[in-house]
Amino acid sequence: RRAGGAGPARCCAFCGDARSVWACLVCGELGCGRYAREHAKDHAAATRHGHALELETGRIWDYADDRFAHRVRPVADGERLACRPEPDAAKYTRLADRYERVLGARLADQRAFYEAKLAS
């Protein structure tokens, strides 16, 4: 059973437990939490889907960092949800310049590697 799908109740797709239900944010699979039978955690480990939403509280768990990543707050009609302020254009330019330098260095390394292989 997937989050938001048809069904009588939101419960774990594996055992049917309705306590502490988490929804995978990648595929929507519903599983019970760590303090029940850990089916949500097992799903994340098996599929490498890294984030899940606790349906009761709106908290998001990050399995890679093993901590809560965010709390979803209710939004009034017409209000826009903004988690952090928009960065300025200069920040994007600095980031693009950095990635361009890193990519250029990696490409130069790859070129030297393959040229050496061809020469031998």
Side-chain angles (χ1 to χ4, degrees):
R1 188 173 315 159
R2 303 214 183 275
R10 294 184 183 216
C11 57
C12 177
F14 301 95
C15 67
D17 196 339
R19 297 171 298 147
S20 183
V21 179
W22 293 77
C24 174
L25 292 179
V26 176
C27 69
E29 188 75 39
L30 296 178
C32 55
R34 291 178 183 221
Y35 302 109
R37 293 188 180 123
E38 297 189 336
H39 288 123
K41 181 181 172 187
D42 294 343
H43 169 77
T47 60
R48 298 183 136 199
H49 293 170
H51 294 86
L53 170 73
E54 186 176 26
L55 298 181
E56 186 177 336
T57 64
R59 296 181 298 179
I60 296 174
W61 186 259
D62 180 347
Y63 286 101
D65 290 340
D66 200 31
R67 66 179 179 87
F68 286 106
H70 184 63
R71 181 181 201 81
V72 178
R73 66 173 176 84
V75 179
D77 287 339
E79 182 184 356
R80 187 176 152 196
L81 179 64
C83 297
R84 55 183 81 125
E86 295 286 324
D88 60 351
K91 183 175 182 178
Y92 285 125
T93 302
R94 287 190 307 271
L95 186 61
D97 290 343
R98 180 173 180 227
Y99 282 123
E100 188 174 323
R101 285 191 309 272
V102 169
L103 182 59
R106 292 298 302 145
L107 288 173
D109 291 344
Q110 289 290 319
R111 180 179 180 185
F113 174 78
Y114 285 111
E115 285 180 348
K117 278 193 155 285
L118 288 172
S120 60

